Amino acid sequence: MSQINYKKIVKELLLPNAEEHGFNMRILKGQMTKKSLGFFERTVGEVYQCFEIYEDLLQEGTVVLLSYPWWNFEVNYSDEKSFREAIETIAKAMNDEGYKALDKKLVEPRIISDDYLFIRDNYLKLSDDFCKAHGIISKDNNSDNLKLVTDSVLAIRGKEYGEVKEEILRIAAFYADALITVLNGQVYWDDDNQVFKIIRDNQYKFVNTLEIVFASYKADAENVAINMIRSSYERLFTKAEKESLWN
């Protein structure tokens, strides 16, 4: 099998259709457990996607398709002919299902940079709007803040993103404002990742409130959404504070 021109076959059988879907191909550096035969990637707007074909060095005669982060499968081979057949199988899988799945992901609701910028520049007004809508006078009570954020997210779960996007922004802004109030936290703009965060005492602990609210809104199960919000809320607290936080 050492005489097989793996990368040439992968390029021949996969690259044309991959390029039709906007993917470029490159070869990753070698690793202890796998040998890259082709790494395919594309960026559409702000969405980055990739899939990889590699040889499993721990299982001789095994080539793997790994499509991040959704699915993967293995195909076995023993010589050049069967390797070509394996790559043909992978190419067919990508043509039948893979590219469709990746294209579908492109149009799913997601947070974009402009949303973070909007939160950064308007979080106080958005929080005030949220407080007025819910009759909130004080943001000093942790339990009340957590319950309100949680209840508000649960109320919009299952609704179309276009219908609730503005409410997601308001919830995230209130969430940030509440953390700033109870923890004397600070607004932090992460230039590298272009996201809005709340930090405390210049520590490395932070909460990305918009990401948490959005992820909780999309969570498959209600208990997952609740745990996601609570754990993120507690992230900035010390161990001693957590012990008495909800007493």
Side-chain angles (χ1 to χ4, degrees), residues 47 49 69-70 100-110:
V47 182
Q49 295 181 320
W70 307 289
K100 292 176 184 177
L102 290 164
D103 288 344
K104 185 177 179 181
K105 288 288 182 180
L106 288 178
V107 296
E108 285 188 351
R110 59 176 38 84

Side-chain angles (χ1 to χ4, degrees), residues 58-198:
L58 299 180
Q59 301 183 67
E60 185 178 2
T62 301
V63 63
V64 180
L65 164 67
L66 179 58
S67 183
Y68 299 90
W70 307 289
W71 51 283
N72 66 83
F73 68 89
E74 302 175 351
V75 187
N76 296 320
Y77 67 96
S78 58
D79 53 24
E80 182 169 347
K81 181 177 181 294
S82 59
F83 178 77
R84 177 175 285 272
E85 291 172 349
I87 300 304
E88 287 174 345
T89 299
I90 288 174
K92 186 177 187 304
M94 288 302 302
N95 291 332
D96 290 348
E97 303 177 49
Y99 294 119
K100 292 176 184 177
L102 290 164
D103 288 344
K104 185 177 179 181
K105 288 288 182 180
L106 288 178
V107 296
E108 285 188 351
R110 59 176 38 84
I111 305 168
I112 61 175
S113 297
D114 285 349
D115 297 328
Y116 285 112
L117 289 168
F118 188 70
I119 285 279
R120 180 193 70 178
D121 296 337
N122 299 281
Y123 81 94
L124 285 174
K125 181 183 184 306
L126 291 168
S127 179
D128 287 343
D129 291 344
F130 182 86
C131 289
K132 289 175 184 177
H134 293 273
I136 302 168
I137 298 175
S138 172
K139 298 183 285 288
D140 292 329
N141 187 289
N142 284 308
S143 296
D144 289 348
N145 292 339
L146 180 67
K147 185 176 188 307
L148 187 54
V149 170
T150 303
D151 289 348
S152 299
V153 171
L154 295 182
I156 62 175
R157 286 183 69 251
K159 296 183 179 180
E160 290 294 326
Y161 183 58
E163 298 176 19
V164 299
K165 179 177 179 178
E166 291 184 2
E167 182 65 3
I168 287 174
L169 294 174
R170 285 191 288 267
I171 297 170
F174 168 77
Y175 187 5
D177 197 9
L179 283 170
I180 290 170
T181 300
V182 299
L183 290 173
N184 192 29
Q186 301 170 353
V187 173
Y188 174 72
W189 179 251
D190 184 336
D191 280 321
D192 291 336
N193 298 300
Q194 291 292 289
V195 296
F196 171 94
K197 301 174 180 177
I198 301 303

Side-chain angles (χ1 to χ4, degrees), residues 154 157 219-227:
L154 295 182
R157 286 183 69 251
D220 293 333
E222 183 174 298
N223 67 309
V224 173
I226 293 171
N227 290 336

Side-chain angles (χ1 to χ4, degrees), residues 51-62:
F51 65 94
E52 182 180 10
I53 312 299
Y54 67 87
E55 181 183 4
D56 187 339
L57 299 180
L58 299 180
Q59 301 183 67
E60 185 178 2
T62 301

Side-chain angles (χ1 to χ4, degrees), residues 24-42:
N24 297 312
M25 175 182 169
R26 62 188 175 96
I27 304 297
L28 300 182
K29 292 182 178 180
Q31 300 182 28
M32 291 183 64
T33 60
K34 69 180 188 178
K35 177 182 178 181
S36 177
L37 303 178
F39 186 82
F40 299 82
E41 57 189 343
R42 72 178 178 183

